[in-house]
Amino acid sequence: MQDALFPDDELPERSQAKPVPPALKKPAARAKTGGLKVNPQTPAPAHLELAEALPELARLGTSSWTYPGWNGLVWDGDYAENQLSKHGLAAYAQHPLFRTVSLDRAFYRPLTAAQYAAYAAQVSDDFRFVVKAPAVVTDATVRTETGRAMQANPAFLSPELAVQDFVLPAMQGLNRKLGALVFQISPLPAALHARLPELLQRLAAMLQALPPLASEAPDAVVAVEVRDPLWLRPEFAAVLREAGATYCLGLHAKMPPIEGQLPLLRALWPGPLVCRWNLHRMHGAYGYEDAANRYLPYDRLVDEDLETRAMLARVINATTRAGHHAYVTLSNKAEGCAPLSVAALAAEIQAQRAG
């Protein structure tokens, strides 16, 4: 591997659609049994083999874990969403391919150290969390419960709130199980597009105010995800590099595909990878509702994106071969079923390493 991501390689050609291998299809669900409040599905042999073959530094997982449609894939029974929310994490973490999860709940309301600690107590020492910063820090506007913008957010990129309401509670609660702190900057109001230099200064001040993570969470990294392509410029990379942070590769219809974001990753190379595959690009910039309607109950792959999967596997392999962590989480809205997407991505990683 060279000193940059794929400097001598051409981008992969679009793959031909292939059927999901039988071992990666949804197995028959079993009846609920006693014991745990939520029982894990017995691991598929193919998943155990894939888990053994994955690079140790590659951590794959999903965005949250509260989906009843994963019955027969992750849960060994039919459970209500609220039951999975309260008791499903321990069962989720027993899936052989899941070594991380995106804790999206923190985006909507800051969590306490005790709440983080309760999550940490449900997983093994080898598990790592990807945690989203509260929207009060990362959204330039104050919104209604339906998402409608009401007014400018005076706390946007506040160093004090970032430290007190996010970083310190997460570090204290998750400790060594903290993997990535993600500041997902929401889409900017049009009026702020011309003020990007000012926003970069505010972002730099916030990132540089964060406490060091290594003593409490030696595997942890700070990452910034954006939802406006206008951020993808050398000045943004410089802010991240100077603060010791990295870029969160955001696979979302609002952003360019991976190859369009590679220059920013190269500017920060070598370093860890944080990636959140949130939404299939076919759904457009505002396609969450369309994706939900198309993919519910999230129990099968509907729109496989083989090109994105292959490119992401290449980035993961390049990162881990260089000796850095890769934290990658996938949403149900990426291809229709996050657990099956994780399994397919793991198979692609293995195939590329063997090729």
Side-chain angles (χ1 to χ4, degrees):
M1 180 56 57
Q2 304 297 320
D3 291 334
L5 291 173
F6 324 133
D8 302 319
D9 297 339
E10 296 180 356
L11 297 176
E13 298 179 357
R14 177 177 292 275
S15 302
Q16 297 298 316
K18 300 177 182 178
V20 181
L24 302 185
K25 291 183 178 179
K26 180 177 179 180
R30 300 185 180 186
K32 289 190 292 183
T33 59
L36 296 175
K37 293 181 179 179
V38 175
N39 297 303
Q41 171 68 22
T42 301
H47 294 171
L48 292 170
E49 293 175 7
L50 284 173
E52 287 292 326
L54 282 176
E56 183 178 357
L57 294 174
R59 295 182 179 274
L60 309 183
T62 70
S63 292
S64 191
W65 62 85
T66 61
Y67 304 102
W70 293 358
N71 177 11
L73 294 171
V74 183
W75 330 120
D76 192 8
D78 187 15
Y79 300 96
E81 185 174 343
N82 62 345
Q83 188 176 11
L84 293 171
S85 178
K86 294 178 181 179
H87 306 296
L89 178 58
Y92 167 96
Q94 294 185 55
H95 192 291
L97 291 174
F98 297 165
R99 299 176 65 217
T100 188
V101 73
S102 181
L103 193 54
D104 294 346
R105 177 187 173 194
F107 178 75
Y108 302 99
R109 180 176 299 176
L111 302 182
T112 66
Q115 288 174 308
Y116 283 119
Y119 287 128
Q122 299 179 57
V123 302
S124 70
D125 290 342
D126 185 57
F127 196 91
R128 299 290 181 269
F129 289 87
V130 174
V131 191
K132 289 178 63 176
V136 68
V137 175
T138 60
D139 196 335
T141 61
V142 177
R143 301 179 186 272
T144 66
E145 291 185 358
T146 61
R148 182 176 61 85
M150 293 192 301
Q151 62 190 46
N153 177 14
F156 181 48
L157 299 179
S158 163
E160 295 79 13
L161 286 182
V163 173
Q164 297 299 323
D165 286 3
F166 180 47
V167 178
L168 289 181
M171 288 177 61
Q172 293 165 3
L174 298 177
N175 204 263
R176 299 180 68 88
K177 296 176 184 178
L178 176 59
L181 295 166
V182 178
F183 291 86
Q184 180 213 296
I185 300 179
S186 300
L188 297 172
L192 289 182
H193 288 192
R195 297 169 56 187
L196 188 61
E198 173 190 339
L199 296 182
L200 286 169
Q201 291 179 352
R202 292 173 62 180
L203 176 63
M206 183 194 74
L207 293 175
Q208 291 170 7
L210 303 183
L213 304 177
S215 61
E216 299 290 332
D219 295 336
V221 60
V222 172
V224 179
E225 180 182 354
V226 297
R227 291 290 173 83
D228 295 286
L230 60 88
W231 288 93
L232 303 182
R233 56 182 65 191
E235 300 91 328
F236 178 46
V239 166
L240 298 176
R241 185 169 52 250
E242 290 169 11
T246 193
Y247 174 63
C248 177
L249 181 63
L251 304 184
H252 189 282
K254 288 181 181 292
M255 296 296 293
I258 292 180
E259 53 266 33
Q261 301 181 58
L262 272 180
L264 197 60
L265 294 181
R266 291 191 182 111
L268 297 168
W269 182 262
L273 171 69
V274 180
C275 174
R276 297 176 65 246
W277 188 354
N278 298 287
L279 181 65
H280 196 291
R281 51 190 168 179
M282 69 175 283
H283 292 289
Y286 302 94
Y288 274 106
E289 184 175 351
D290 291 340
N293 291 335
R294 181 173 173 84
Y295 297 151
L296 279 170
Y298 308 128
D299 61 350
R300 61 192 179 93
L301 293 178
V302 180
D303 296 309
E304 294 190 69
D305 189 344
L306 302 180
E307 183 177 354
T308 296
R309 190 187 299 164
M311 179 61 79
L312 179 54
R314 293 185 70 190
V315 176
I316 293 168
N317 280 327
T319 300
T320 56
R321 281 173 175 151
H324 296 281
H325 289 279
Y327 299 102
V328 181
T329 61
L330 298 90
S331 165
N332 285 318
K333 299 176 181 67
E335 298 180 299
C337 176
L340 291 179
S341 287
V342 169
L345 177 61
E348 180 65 25
I349 292 170
Q350 180 191 36
Q352 291 185 14
R353 292 174 66 86

